[in-house]
Amino acid sequence: MGSDRQVAVFGAYGHTGRFVVAELLKRGYTPVLSGRDADKLKALAHEAGLEARVASADDPGALDRALAGTSAVINCAGPFAFTTAPVIEAALRARIPYLDVAAEIEANLDTFAHFADRAREAGALIVPAMAFFGGLGDLLATAAMGDWTEADSADVAYGLSHWHPTAGTRLSGAVSRERRGDHRLRYTGGQWERRTDAPPMLEWSFPEPMGSRPVIGEFTMADVVTIPSHLSIPDVTTYMTAEAARDVASPDTPAPAAADGSGRSDQTFLIDAVVRSGETVRRAVARGQDIYAVTAPLVVEALARVLDGRTHAVGVASAGQMFDAPDFLRALSPHVTLELCP
């Protein structure tokens, strides 16, 4: 293990990676910048006054050098279909925890399938999807469960004011679509279904002041991987406001633009996580600004808990299994406003 304040950030110069680097610095860590683009890495290192270590996912030796002497690695480099396994392998060799911000369904499924046994046997900590998609919804659903040990269903509805995707989001989405082909994925009856029909258009009653909005049902995101990985819930569904879904699908939608000094865009979000058992409904709601920017406090809070031992699992585990969900969510203030409605 290396210095407990040095943290490798792979993909540090990307849109989300820059937010993660800034959050690490704010919390007293020393980011070690890494990625394959030497010019972008050098520019960020000069700007931030930090060490840069060039590495690509297809060069194990360079990855080992990038992680040397660090206490953990945060993987911010998509498409995660190409980077997750190599960086996890490097973390296992270095015997340090691994966290990522992957929203790609297939990459997260691969992490659970390929590394669960090895990580558990090695006593390693691997936390995938520690981001807005995957991590936050999982924490909300877990908190909403409370003392329940099982539920009939979990629904996570995303109320985004708009969605201006980054270049990384577009590339990752293209890779996911290529892997899925003409199918979409749905989790029902405790298993994955491959569907060829169009997802349903529905109305979702968000908490006020958002209210009823048209949504695309079965807009399957990483939460549908993370939630059933540890909660006994046979039906898990995610929903997206129709306008935001159109934004991310359109090739003409611009990239996010900074609206304040921190670099956050003016995008706002509301996540409505609802779990049901029979006729009883429990709900957890989170509000905040900028889905990319909020990923930074999410993953850095997870890092802090991993490094100081505030964990509940060993091996590959999602946020809701690895951490005390209500306590974690409260720690995200002022980045996220939380409401628990049992």
Side-chain angles (χ1 to χ4, degrees), residues 131-147:
F132 177 84
F133 292 115
L136 187 49
D138 181 30
L139 288 164
L140 291 167
T142 304
M145 285 283 285
D147 58 355

Side-chain angles (χ1 to χ4, degrees), residues 155-159 199-219 237-243 246 272 274 276 283:
D155 295 319
V156 180
Y158 310 109
M201 287 291 297
L202 306 164
E203 288 284 323
W204 185 272
S205 295
F206 288 95
E208 295 297 339
M210 181 170 283
S212 182
R213 296 292 179 90
V215 297
I216 296 182
E218 300 171 17
F219 191 92
T237 308
T238 49
Y239 306 78
M240 178 64 69
T241 42
E243 183 178 0
R246 287 193 295 270
D272 189 18
V274 179
R276 293 179 173 85
R283 167 178 265 145

